[in-house]
Amino acid sequence: MPSIERLIGARLGAWLGRPGIDLELIVAQLREHGSVRNVATILRGAAGAQAEIEVSGVVAPMGGSECFGFTIRHVGRRLRQVPLVAHDTPRSVEQLTELVGRMSLKEIVRESTDLIERLCIEAALAYTSDNRASAAEVLGVSRQSLYSKLHRHGLGNLVSGDG
C-alpha cells in the first residue's frame, strides 16, 4: 500500500490469503489452540500484486473479547530456489505441494495433470529415441494429439522429426 492510512481499519481478510478462506482457517486454529505458527499463504496488494508469506499468531483475552496478534513474514525467495513463472508448469511433486494454500484444488489438479502428461511424453520420446510416431503409439494417442501436446508443453523444439 502506498500509505499506512489506507490499511488502518481495513479487514485483514481483504489482504491475506484467498478471500473468505485462509483468514477464517487461521482464526479457527487460533481459537482452538491459542496460537498458530508459520502458516503459508499469500498477501495481496491493492493493485493485484501477491507475495508469499508465513503467518504466525496468538490470541489473548482482552476484557470481554479476544485480541489477535499476528506476525507476517515474506518468504517468497526462501521457498523457491527456482521461481515459477505464472504460466510455467511445476517440474516436481515438491513444487506442486508448495501450491497448496496458494491455488485452489482444481488448479493444483490441473497443474499435476499437466506435469504427469509432460513427464509421460518425455519418457515416451526417450523410450522411442525421439520418434514421434512411435511415441504417440506408445502413449495411445494420435500423432496429431501428440503434436498438440508437444506444442502446449513447449517440447516441440526439444525433439527431432518423426524418424
Side-chain angles (χ1 to χ4, degrees):
M1 293 301 293
S3 68
I4 189 103
E5 289 76 27
R6 290 181 137 179
L7 293 173
I8 295 173
R11 298 184 50 83
L12 185 57
W15 315 106
L16 183 73
R18 294 168 291 157
I21 299 173
D22 290 349
L23 184 58
E24 284 76 7
L25 292 173
I26 292 169
V27 169
Q29 288 294 311
L30 281 170
R31 286 188 172 130
E32 183 176 340
H33 301 288
S35 67
V36 295
R37 293 182 54 182
N38 303 328
V39 178
T41 187
I42 59 170
L43 195 63
R44 296 183 315 279
Q50 294 185 353
E52 296 180 18
I53 61 167
E54 285 181 347
V55 176
S56 296
V58 296
V59 62
M62 183 175 189
S65 63
E66 299 169 312
C67 179
F68 295 93
F70 295 99
T71 300
I72 299 173
R73 181 171 56 151
H74 182 264
V75 294
R77 289 188 188 125
R78 182 175 62 86
L79 287 178
R80 284 195 193 100
Q81 289 81 22
V82 180
L84 285 176
V85 180
H87 301 302
D88 193 13
T89 304
R91 300 244 356 135
S92 69
V93 173
E94 292 78 23
Q95 286 178 329
L96 281 170
T97 57
E98 286 179 6
L99 298 176
V100 173
R102 293 173 182 80
M103 299 174 89
S104 70
L105 179 60
K106 183 178 180 178
E107 292 169 319
I108 294 172
V109 168
R110 188 175 328 132
E111 292 286 332
S112 62
T113 301
D114 287 346
L115 172 63
I116 292 166
E117 184 176 72
R118 190 186 75 246
L119 292 173
C120 289
I121 290 169
E122 289 173 347
L125 289 168
Y127 179 72
T128 62
S129 300
D130 291 337
N131 183 313
R132 293 180 182 185
S134 297
E137 188 176 331
V138 166
L139 292 168
V141 299
S142 69
R143 267 197 261 173
Q144 184 176 358
S145 176
L146 178 62
Y147 294 147
S148 173
K149 292 174 187 304
L150 287 168
H151 178 72
R152 185 163 58 98
H153 293 293
L155 298 172
N157 300 342
L158 302 177
V159 293
S160 60
D162 277 60

